[in-house]
Amino acid sequence: MAQGSFDRRRINGPEESFPPVFDAVEEHAKIWSARRDRGDADIRPIFLQPGLISQANGSAYIETARTKLACAVYGPRQSKSTTYSEKGRLNVEVKFAPFSCTRRRAPLRDAEDRSLSVAIHRSIVSSVCLELFPKSTIDVFITIIENDGIEGCIASGSIAASAALADAGIEMLGLVASCSAVVLGDETRLDPTEEEANASDGIVIVACMPALSSITNVWESGRLTANDALKCMEMCQDRCIDIHSVIAQSLSSNNKTA
Amino acid sequence: MASDSLLPGQPVPFPRGPVPSLGNGLYIKEGQVRASLVGVPRYEGSTLTISRVRAHPPAPNSVILGTVTRLSPSQATVSISVVDGVPLPAGEEFTGVIRTRDIRATEKDKVKIGDCFRGGDVVKGVVISLGDARSYYITTARNDLGVIFATSEAGATMEPVSWQEMRCPRTGRIEKRKCAKPENI
């Protein structure tokens, strides 16, 4: 929040500001409470709609409970780089809206945007036929409108980016589905909220192409035994098949409407 | 083929027998034919294709329309805005270049850029190669390629009167261009 210098390109408010502090009644006692609305192996309901941004070549909007993000695909368009490349290039840019988190995020780019971009890029780059677009770039822009955990943003962002690329008519080997899981003790939960992720021992995010039965990206953090990690990956892969049918249904209905 | 649309990665059902030749929008992985685009596979002749009309980058043998943006003694720089009849979105034009040796098929050594193109002319050409890192190489060395729209110094739209001359309807002045043969002749 505190910036080192005066930003001449924006309206400058106070130098420093802090969010209001509400009473944290019983916050720590109930941080890993039992889920009331779904089971441990359930994911949050997914709303996915391609084709909402008119000026983009392809777009997708996705909601999973309190995670909302919009994705736009531009391209293939001319590469600004002076390097000749026989294959196309895929760029992913992730941006948090300032109002997307409980604590306000400055509009300037920070380190977390970068790590999310890299994770989503790795999830979808192997599914795109980049050899069909020499000397061109495909730009994917993801704006996170509401954030309920970084894991949900990475998983939802991969799903939205894949749907947007299919909506744009980019050749792909398969649709990418992604799911996250957390572990605490002997308990494993799929599709965690921010509170569950903060209280957990370890986090696993898996992105795969269910049509080809292949995994495109695995992202793991925290303290996990090998058995726990493999168990999480298998649970995520099983759930990705369900997510893939959600993507397929929304793309099919959108294609029929068009 | 059924009228069901396929999604990327979805296998294409085939009756037992040889696989037909595959066109755009399909690929083979581990002996299985799969779709790589959203759409309905159809036979075009004997080729199975998922066709989707969308803006795509120029490729060799693409017919392009572009606007001349820069001239130098050896080449003309063109901003490509239409590829194979499909306009590119605004702001996503590609850059092409027409070299003096590619302007016409005859008398290549006597070509002068100033007698063939001016800034702002709309040019029809064919891509001959991917070129270098920045530009595609374009040729107008065919009768039906060249300038299809030009504005005179007086600001009026000129009409082609021969393969290398255009006339201003307002002032009657003749200006030199490498003209494209109109399609309705």
Side-chain angles (χ1 to χ4, degrees):
Chain A
M1 204 59 63
Q3 293 164 26
S5 62
F6 190 80
D7 191 353
R8 297 180 188 277
R9 292 169 295 178
R10 287 183 172 83
I11 298 173
N12 283 268
E15 272 191 46
E16 285 188 69
S17 62
F18 298 94
V21 179
F22 300 103
D23 291 340
V25 179
E26 303 180 57
E27 181 177 354
H28 295 290
K30 291 191 172 181
I31 203 147
W32 184 269
S33 56
R35 282 177 172 175
R36 283 182 289 268
D37 49 348
R38 54 190 168 116
D40 285 351
D42 291 338
I43 58 174
R44 291 169 284 188
I46 296 175
F47 172 80
L48 176 65
Q49 177 67 50
L52 292 182
I53 301 173
S54 56
Q55 68 260 39
N57 296 105
S59 61
Y61 172 77
I62 187 167
E63 282 188 22
T64 57
R66 285 173 48 200
T67 300
K68 302 179 177 64
L69 56 92
C71 175
V73 170
Y74 294 86
R77 56 184 180 182
Q78 182 157 14
S79 203
K80 290 190 171 55
S81 160
T82 49
T83 310
Y84 183 92
S85 59
E86 201 60 43
K87 289 178 69 173
R89 201 188 318 266
L90 183 74
N91 299 323
V92 177
E93 183 178 323
V94 176
K95 199 88 206 71
F96 282 90
F99 48 84
S100 60
C101 308
T102 50
R103 176 183 284 259
R104 183 182 187 270
R105 286 179 183 261
L108 301 177
R109 192 169 308 181
D110 55 28
E112 204 158 38
D113 295 349
R114 173 71 186 163
S115 59
L116 262 75
S117 303
V118 170
I120 294 174
H121 179 268
R122 284 184 191 150
S123 300
I124 60 179
V125 70
S126 55
S127 72
V128 183
C129 306
L130 290 174
E131 64 275 7
L132 297 179
F133 310 107
K135 287 175 41 177
S136 305
T137 60
I138 300 167
D139 294 313
V140 181
F141 297 98
I142 295 175
T143 301
I144 297 174
I145 296 167
E146 190 175 359
N147 174 24
D148 188 21
I150 299 301
E151 308 73 31
C153 290
I154 293 176
S156 303
S158 305
I159 295 166
S162 183
L165 286 164
D167 182 52
I170 309 280
E171 274 90 352
M172 302 167 73
L173 299 182
L175 297 169
V176 172
S178 184
C179 189
S180 54
V182 289
V183 174
L184 180 68
D186 292 334
E187 233 177 315
T188 303
R189 290 185 179 179
L190 286 183
D191 199 15
T193 62
E194 190 167 23
E195 291 173 355
E196 290 168 343
N198 289 338
S200 65
D201 288 336
I203 299 165
V204 174
I205 304 171
V206 172
C208 58
M209 290 192 279
L212 307 183
S213 305
S214 64
I215 290 180
T216 59
N217 191 22
V218 179
W219 195 83
E220 181 183 326
S221 69
R223 303 184 306 272
L224 285 165
T225 64
N227 284 336
D228 281 342
L230 289 175
K231 181 186 169 190
C232 285
M233 285 171 63
E234 284 168 10
M235 289 175 69
C236 288
Q237 266 190 291
D238 292 339
R239 196 58 57 193
C240 280
I241 296 174
D242 302 332
I243 297 173
H244 186 268
S245 54
V246 171
I247 307 171
Q249 185 192 343
S250 63
L251 281 171
S252 293
S253 57
N254 190 64
N255 193 52
K256 288 191 175 70
T257 308
Chain B
M1 193 63 55
S3 63
D4 294 329
S5 68
L6 297 179
L7 298 168
Q10 195 168 343
V12 181
F14 277 127
R16 189 176 298 112
V19 174
S21 56
L22 302 179
N24 189 53
L26 296 157
Y27 71 98
I28 297 183
K29 190 177 174 72
E30 295 164 5
Q32 177 78 55
V33 179
R34 296 175 188 269
S36 60
L37 288 172
V38 181
V40 181
R42 296 180 215 277
Y43 279 97
E44 296 178 359
S46 63
T47 303
L48 192 66
T49 297
I50 298 180
S51 64
R52 175 155 174 174
V53 177
R54 66 164 180 82
H56 59 274
N61 294 320
S62 291
V63 178
I64 57 99
L65 296 181
T67 304
V68 177
T69 54
R70 206 178 330 132
L71 290 171
S72 76
S74 60
Q75 63 188 32
T77 302
V78 173
S79 170
I80 298 168
S81 45
V82 178
V83 178
D84 289 326
V86 183
L88 299 171
E92 297 191 2
E93 291 89 10
F94 288 85
T95 302
V97 75
I98 307 175
R99 299 170 293 181
T100 44
R101 77 197 84 147
D102 296 324
I103 292 176
R104 46 166 130 135
T106 60
E107 291 184 337
K108 296 185 179 181
D109 296 336
K110 299 180 182 175
V111 171
K112 290 181 181 175
I113 284 279
D115 290 342
C116 299
F117 304 116
R118 293 294 171 93
D121 290 352
V122 177
V123 175
K124 184 180 181 184
V126 168
V127 178
I128 53 179
S129 89
L130 293 181
D132 52 25
R134 290 202 171 281
S135 311
Y136 292 82
Y137 287 170
I138 296 167
T139 181
T140 57
R142 257 170 33 190
N143 290 348
D144 57 317
L145 305 176
V147 175
I148 60 174
F149 173 89
T151 306
S152 70
E153 294 182 13
T157 300
M158 293 198 288
E159 306 151 350
V161 295
S162 77
W163 69 273
Q164 61 173 346
E165 287 168 348
M166 277 184 157
R167 178 174 54 209
C168 174
R170 186 181 303 174
T171 63
R173 183 174 303 157
I174 299 287
E175 293 188 24
K176 286 196 165 187
R177 297 284 196 281
K178 200 285 177 185
C179 300
K181 184 178 188 179
E183 291 173 359
N184 51 343
I185 290 183

